[in-house]
Amino acid sequence: MALVLFDPANRNSLFPLTHTRAVADLRIGILCIKERWQYWSAEEVLVATDAYLQHLYPAIPQAQHLWVDATVLPDGALRNKIAGLAENEALEDDHGIIAIRSGVHPANAVVAKSELVQGVQRLMYPWEIFLWNDGWLRYDFTLITEGLTSESISHTNNVLRPDMIFIEEGAEIEFATLNASTGPIFIGKDTIIMEGACIRGPFAVGEKNVIK
């Protein structure tokens, strides 16, 4: 059994971002949607998208899976409801199925029992990524760094709130300003922050980037 993130029928509302990728590969905050579910779930996370893109992702084996609409950005209470679904049970809102445990794609599934859920955050349009990015970046910072220790920050840097700065292995930062007084700063593995760069949180950069 796996957790399968499926694209809804109205995935085109996220064009052009989803023209070349599944909804699950959209990044909001530090992580893309699929990566965040990998932190949340102990199950393998797979992707179901339009036929012309499906070859980009691993095949989904014939079995009973937990299917979750990739546009749904759940809180802890909703994730618990999703995880607790029994066979052919579903959660729905005004836009359709949120999640279902089934042996087939939700479009073909027979729902034995359904619960209506209100107030679900769904990523429907590209501009919402910018609207919600701040909140999810702060959430992801805590999720990713929990139990981990940041690399040390060189004394050549001007630093505010070092407790809110996390630097992964191999990152190079010298003679820069890192101001985390307004939000966390996450610097990915092997990233180079050039001399004179001024970074103000909330801010995140992934692996092997160069910031001038």
Side-chain angles (χ1 to χ4, degrees):
M1 186 185 77
L3 188 152
V4 183
L5 296 173
F6 69 92
D7 284 4
N10 63 341
R11 67 184 302 278
N12 291 6
S13 69
L14 286 161
F15 270 22
L17 302 181
T18 53
H19 185 63
T20 57
R21 75 198 76 188
V23 174
D25 274 340
L26 295 180
R27 190 172 303 279
I28 177 170
I30 298 175
L31 302 172
C32 72
I33 293 169
K34 180 183 177 183
E35 290 170 338
R36 193 173 295 112
W37 276 102
Q38 288 170 332
Y39 273 93
W40 285 336
S41 176
E43 307 292 342
E44 180 184 13
V45 179
L46 300 175
V47 173
T49 185
D50 266 9
Y52 77 97
L53 293 173
Q54 192 61 56
H55 71 281
L56 300 175
Y57 301 93
I60 301 170
Q62 291 292 326
Q64 185 182 103
H65 301 301
L66 181 57
W67 301 78
V68 180
D69 188 322
T71 66
V72 172
L73 304 174
D75 58 18
L78 182 54
R79 292 200 305 275
N80 289 338
K81 283 180 175 289
I82 291 171
L85 289 173
E87 183 177 359
N88 294 327
E89 286 186 349
L91 299 174
E92 299 184 67
D93 66 0
D94 294 338
H95 297 283
I97 289 179
I98 296 167
I100 184 172
R101 194 178 295 276
S102 173
V104 296
H105 190 283
N108 304 314
V110 175
V111 179
K113 181 182 178 182
S114 177
E115 178 183 345
L116 184 64
V117 182
Q118 301 291 342
V120 176
Q121 187 179 40
R122 283 180 178 265
L123 184 62
M124 303 289 288
Y125 305 101
W127 56 265
E128 291 172 330
I129 293 176
F130 301 94
L131 180 65
W132 298 333
N133 192 62
D134 183 293
W136 281 104
L137 191 153
R138 294 170 191 268
Y139 176 90
D140 289 344
F141 181 85
T142 301
L143 182 68
I144 293 172
T145 63
E146 185 177 7
L148 301 180
T149 301
S150 170
E151 295 293 303
S152 60
I153 304 173
S154 170
H155 70 279
T156 67
N157 296 293
N158 184 25
V159 180
L160 284 80
R161 288 294 304 272
D163 57 305
M164 293 297 290
I165 300 172
F166 192 93
I167 301 172
E168 291 192 320
E169 180 183 1
E172 300 178 22
I173 312 171
E174 300 289 350
F175 298 100
T177 296
L178 306 176
N179 180 3
S181 63
T182 54
I185 295 174
F186 181 89
I187 308 296
K189 183 178 179 180
D190 297 327
T191 286
I192 298 174
I193 307 296
M194 299 290 284
E195 295 83 353
C198 295
I199 295 175
R200 183 182 181 91
F203 175 88
V205 61
E207 297 182 6
K208 299 180 181 179
N209 286 276
V210 177
I211 305 297
K212 297 181 180 180

